[in-house]
Amino acid sequence: APVLAEGRKDLDIYFPHSKWFDLRDGKEVPVRGKFMNLPAPVEGVVPHFLRGGKMILKQDVTGVKSTEDLNNVFNITVGLPDFATKGETKKAEAVGNILDVPNYSEEVIYKQCTEKNCLMNVTIACAYGNNTFTTTITSKSDSSERTENPIEIKEIHLLGAPGDFFSSKPTGKVELKGDEKSVVEYKFDASTQVLKILISNNLTLSNDSQFILSINV
């Protein structure tokens, strides 16, 4: 939501009826299907938002001057939709995609993305109940049979995580199913309702891969 009028330092932004998050701090936008006035000073960050049920993948671009300097390590930022109650469990799911290529050279992008589908589809499903919060990451890709520079995930940021679940234990360990060697930790910020999952050994996404992360409180 960029400022388009000269001298304007705030914006009246319309949010379609859905759950939205301010990516500057991760907080949920408190309106749905309405306008909201928000500050947008010229010296600040342009207001940008993520819809519930969607995700984006971000990289550390420190020192990056061209696409050749980019690696394949990402952090996932997920906007969780409203949790739906099914029995004793509450569930929410988000989807997104990413270019599944070994590098970002023009030659690779042209060849992989014109000759076949080069997108990796990623789904993150969260569920909680009975003192357990699980995050299931599933990826599918038509081009991920390669082994050179696969997509790796270092951190997962869940926006709109349930404060009622994490209020008693805002930090702790995460169990990664089938992998007892990796050190996975979580940090929950009650002021923003953002849950960060930090992974010591990056998760490698490939075609038809799945990871299940569990938090017990």
Side-chain angles (χ1 to χ4, degrees):
V3 172
L4 301 177
E6 184 177 359
R8 189 77 186 265
K9 295 185 178 180
D10 65 323
L11 288 170
D12 293 315
I13 304 171
Y14 179 74
F15 292 92
H17 198 283
S18 184
K19 194 174 183 180
W20 294 88
F21 298 93
D22 191 328
L23 283 172
R24 293 174 294 184
D25 56 17
K27 291 182 179 180
E28 181 182 349
V29 177
V31 299
R32 301 186 186 189
K34 296 181 179 180
F35 280 92
M36 182 177 176
N37 183 270
L38 288 171
V42 66
E43 68 275 7
V45 177
V46 174
H48 52 303
F49 306 90
L50 180 65
R51 191 171 194 156
K54 302 297 181 180
M55 70 179 75
I56 56 173
L57 291 94
K58 301 191 294 184
Q59 288 183 289
D60 180 359
V61 293
T62 303
V64 171
K65 297 181 179 179
S66 71
T67 54
E68 295 180 358
D69 299 326
L70 291 170
N71 59 31
N72 273 12
V73 179
F74 293 83
N75 295 338
I76 302 180
T77 298
V78 181
L80 291 175
D82 291 324
F83 280 80
T85 301
K86 296 183 179 180
E88 297 182 355
T89 304
K90 296 182 178 181
K91 298 181 178 181
E93 183 177 287
V95 296
N97 52 51
I98 186 173
L99 280 179
D100 185 23
V101 291
N103 62 67
Y104 299 95
S105 66
E106 291 185 8
E107 180 182 357
V108 168
I109 295 294
Y110 179 80
K111 183 176 181 180
Q112 297 227 5
C113 297
T114 57
E115 295 182 359
K116 57 183 177 180
N117 180 13
C118 62
L119 287 179
M120 173 180 286
N121 298 314
V122 182
T123 301
I124 292 185
C126 295
Y128 71 100
N130 297 323
N131 300 321
T132 301
F133 183 94
T134 62
T135 301
T136 303
I137 307 165
T138 305
S139 61
K140 292 183 179 296
S141 173
D142 292 335
S143 62
S144 59
E145 294 180 355
R146 59 179 174 78
T147 57
E148 179 190 358
N149 297 329
I151 301 297
E152 297 183 19
I153 303 302
K154 185 177 181 64
E155 296 183 10
I156 303 167
H157 299 176
L158 300 175
L159 313 186
D164 57 336
F165 182 89
F166 291 101
S167 59
S168 62
K169 192 178 179 183
T171 61
K173 300 292 184 181
V174 181
E175 178 185 343
L176 176 57
K177 185 177 180 180
D179 186 354
E180 290 75 25
K181 296 181 180 179
S182 293
V183 177
V184 187
E185 300 176 311
Y186 75 89
K187 297 180 180 178
F188 177 73
D189 187 335
S191 65
T192 60
Q193 302 287 97
V194 174
L195 175 68
K196 292 184 179 181
I197 299 176
L198 315 173
I199 307 160
S200 62
N201 295 328
N202 300 341
L203 302 181
T204 301
L205 300 186
S206 60
N207 185 35
D208 207 23
S209 63
Q210 185 180 81
F211 300 95
I212 300 176
L213 303 151
S214 300
I215 298 172
N216 298 304
V217 299

